[in-house]
Amino acid sequence: MFSPNWDEIGVGVTDLSDLKHRMHRQVVESLDLSVVSKLDPELLKTELSNLVGHLLEQDSAPLNIREREQLITEIQHEVLGLGPLEPLIQDPTINDILVNRPDQVYVERAGKLELTNVRFRNETHLRKIIEKIVSAVGRRIDESSPMVDCRLADGSRVNAIIPPLALDGSSISIRKFSKDKLQIEDLVRNKSLTPEIAHLLEGIVKARLNVMISGGTGCGKTTVLNILSGFIPEGERIITIEDAAELQLRQEHVVRLETRPANVEGKGEVSQRDLVKNCLRMRPDRIVMGEVRGAETLDMLQAMNTGHDGSLTTIHANTPRDALTRVETLVALAGLNISTKGLRHYISSAIDVIIQMTRLSDGSRKITSLQEITGMEGEIITLQEIFKFEQTGLAEDRQVKGRFMATGVRPKFTERFTALGIELSHDIFDPLKVYEV
């Protein structure tokens, strides 16, 4: 999937790079860009291939068949795709693409980072690719606005930052959009959780409990949010709110909302808080928020406390207790004038369950804790752990060894399960039932 070693093929890397750059410029000059955008992609590829072949004949370049095919492919990527990044985008085994500078590109496979041999010609080449990405979604990036969050046509999330903020050259981070929608069975098979936890999570969503998924960057919060949202019954109206649309809900009745940044004049911004307020006027049965990270946390809590049971969201935090502390901090950003005890009571009555996701040292992602918020004791929000994962060591291949187990605590929300006819196996909370992984 990566660029070949041209020295082994017979053409010097510098010579080929110069040839590709020259061909690319000639192709762009030869194309009518107003017509290109209207052509069928497959027809455009064929025409582009013919054009490059014609230009190579005129250039009398000493290339063999393999070199010509590779050159044509790379020019197609430059004109139609994202240049050197295109093979990485198309590789289904890659989850993240991380461009640190023009000559250093990493990818993540199976939770592990790998340095690739993908290179950009120079900073100008990298900047052109960044501008191509952001202009496609109506955003801009320049010295006055050197950071941008956006997404590709396939839904992949992109963050780009350029000098003077990025000291060693422009940087791109791409979180690829999964074309295959994971199911809860996939998480069980990957040993991210146990069948008992999977069964309980399904019941939690169907019983309309408010759920917060906590964890660090890249630990699988959005994946679990997507899977949990799949348990929402078909007859309910779901409204999703995200900074960059990633959720892939399978239900028919879904309204998807996405924030909008300010324009060149600094106007027109629509924040998550604006969308939450508007969402409450749209008769939602369920609100699914991609992530709370600002003052919208208060509006989300208000929605959970005012009849919108069964809402789902995620938050960045290392433990369930840290998640509650972070919620307090984020609510403070909204300027709510309320005592600490009053705020904590508000939080404890809004959120029912916290699911802690963790990315372990071997790159695997697991649900390491599932806790219920049971109320208040004095000024402290009380939590009780229902399931947990304990790491016990590392195998010879550096894979994490550990065990999933119930704590033996039967959560209070099972009373709600009983009232709604949601059945649980009699031994689901048995602490002697341990899963070694």
Side-chain angles (χ1 to χ4, degrees):
M1 296 300 292
F2 298 129
S3 301
N5 187 335
W6 292 102
D7 288 328
E8 295 176 2
I9 296 174
V11 177
V13 174
T14 303
D15 292 341
L16 186 85
S17 179
D18 291 341
L19 177 61
K20 187 174 75 171
H21 184 44
R22 189 169 69 251
M23 288 289 113
H24 181 220
R25 188 174 64 251
Q26 289 177 318
V27 166
V28 171
E29 289 172 355
S30 303
L31 291 175
D32 183 345
L33 296 179
S34 61
V35 174
V36 165
S37 60
K38 299 174 184 177
L39 285 178
D40 177 76
E42 290 303 317
L43 177 61
L44 182 56
K45 280 186 180 180
T46 303
E47 293 297 323
L48 196 56
S49 177
N50 293 337
L51 176 58
V52 174
H54 179 65
L55 291 174
L56 284 173
E57 288 176 6
Q58 290 182 336
D59 197 271
S60 300
L63 302 178
N64 60 37
I65 294 177
R66 184 179 173 188
E67 292 167 352
R68 285 171 62 93
E69 289 177 350
Q70 181 66 25
L71 183 61
I72 289 171
T73 299
E74 291 193 10
I75 291 177
Q76 285 178 340
H77 289 163
E78 290 286 346
V79 176
L80 305 177
L82 300 181
L85 297 182
E86 194 63 27
L88 307 182
I89 294 288
Q90 295 174 6
D91 188 339
T93 67
I94 292 175
N95 301 317
D96 287 88
I97 302 169
L98 308 168
V99 181
N100 294 344
R101 56 179 190 260
D103 62 343
Q104 189 181 77
V105 181
Y106 281 85
V107 297
E108 183 199 279
R109 278 193 180 91
K112 293 290 186 180
L113 290 176
E114 302 174 11
L115 178 64
T116 72
N117 61 353
V118 172
R119 301 288 184 270
F120 291 85
R121 286 192 304 275
N122 48 38
E123 172 68 16
T124 303
H125 185 202
L126 176 53
R127 284 285 289 273
K128 282 183 178 178
I129 297 299
I130 293 175
E131 287 165 6
K132 189 173 186 178
I133 292 171
V134 301
S135 63
V137 290
R139 306 281 175 92
R140 70 186 183 95
I141 188 166
D142 51 39
E143 285 194 6
S144 63
S145 179
M147 297 183 292
V148 70
D149 268 312
C150 60
R151 55 189 170 88
L152 301 178
D154 68 354
S156 298
R157 191 171 66 195
V158 181
N159 175 271
I161 183 167
I162 64 173
L165 301 187
L167 300 181
D168 297 323
S170 299
S171 174
I172 314 175
S173 304
I174 302 177
R175 170 67 54 80
K176 285 179 60 179
F177 184 81
S178 175
K179 294 180 175 60
D180 298 323
K181 299 178 184 178
L182 289 177
Q183 307 290 337
I184 196 75
E185 294 81 10
D186 297 310
L187 297 192
V188 174
R189 187 165 51 252
N190 294 336
K191 300 179 181 178
S192 294
L193 46 74
T194 66
E196 283 77 12
I197 295 175
H199 185 50
L200 186 63
L201 291 178
E202 181 176 359
I204 284 171
V205 175
K206 290 182 176 178
R208 300 183 65 91
L209 299 178
N210 293 321
V211 178
M212 178 169 280
I213 303 166
S214 166
T217 301
C219 69
K221 298 188 300 296
T222 303
T223 298
V224 172
L225 181 64
N226 227 349
I227 290 171
L228 293 187
S229 65
F231 294 133
I232 299 174
E234 278 289 347
E236 297 188 21
R237 175 175 170 83
I238 307 166
I239 298 181
T240 68
I241 299 170
E242 299 175 85
D243 261 342
E246 291 181 280
L247 295 173
Q248 309 171 61
L249 273 65
R250 298 185 295 274
Q251 290 86 343
E252 186 69 26
H253 197 161
V254 178
V255 179
R256 302 168 72 219
L257 306 180
E258 186 179 44
T259 60
R260 186 179 71 185
N263 60 18
V264 179
E265 292 79 28
K267 299 178 181 178
E269 179 183 8
V270 179
S271 66
Q272 282 201 118
R273 190 169 195 190
D274 298 326
L275 292 179
V276 174
K277 289 177 179 177
N278 188 77
C279 156
L280 297 178
R281 303 186 185 102
M282 297 172 67
R283 196 225 167 264
D285 286 315
R286 306 263 189 158
I287 301 171
V288 180
M289 180 168 307
E291 182 185 341
V292 289
R293 56 165 67 94
E296 72 276 356
T297 308
L298 172 61
D299 302 289
M300 189 69 192
L301 292 177
Q302 288 177 331
M304 290 175 170
N305 266 320
T306 54
H308 297 91
D309 296 335
S311 296
L312 307 169
T313 190
T314 73
I315 193 168
H316 271 82
N318 293 326
T319 67
R321 179 62 65 183
D322 287 348
L324 294 176
T325 303
R326 183 159 158 76
V327 169
E328 283 187 54
T329 305
L330 294 177
V331 169
L333 297 175
L336 182 66
N337 187 17
I338 187 174
S339 68
T340 300
K341 183 177 181 179
L343 174 56
R344 290 176 179 173
H345 179 76
Y346 199 66
I347 293 170
S348 68
S349 60
I351 304 169
D352 299 306
V353 176
I354 299 178
I355 300 167
Q356 183 66 40
M357 294 294 302
T358 304
R359 179 177 169 178
L360 303 175
S361 59
D362 62 352
S364 63
R365 286 109 168 152
K366 298 189 189 302
I367 290 182
T368 52
S369 184
L370 196 158
Q371 301 198 19
E372 177 188 31
I373 295 179
T374 56
M376 296 275 293
E377 282 188 9
E379 293 192 1
I380 306 299
I381 299 174
T382 54
L383 293 165
Q384 61 179 13
E385 193 167 42
I386 304 163
F387 285 98
K388 63 181 178 179
F389 174 81
E390 290 182 346
Q391 183 173 340
T392 57
L394 292 175
E396 290 183 4
D397 58 358
R398 308 300 296 172
Q399 294 295 304
V400 169
K401 295 169 63 178
R403 59 192 177 201
F404 287 100
M405 58 195 303
T407 60
V409 174
R410 189 174 186 86
K412 291 183 177 180
F413 59 67
T414 54
E415 298 171 5
R416 193 163 175 174
F417 281 29
T418 303
L420 294 171
I422 299 171
E423 296 183 358
L424 295 173
S425 59
H426 68 280
D427 62 345
I428 189 170
F429 304 115
D430 183 358
L432 299 178
K433 198 171 183 180
V434 177
Y435 284 82
E436 300 280 351
V437 296

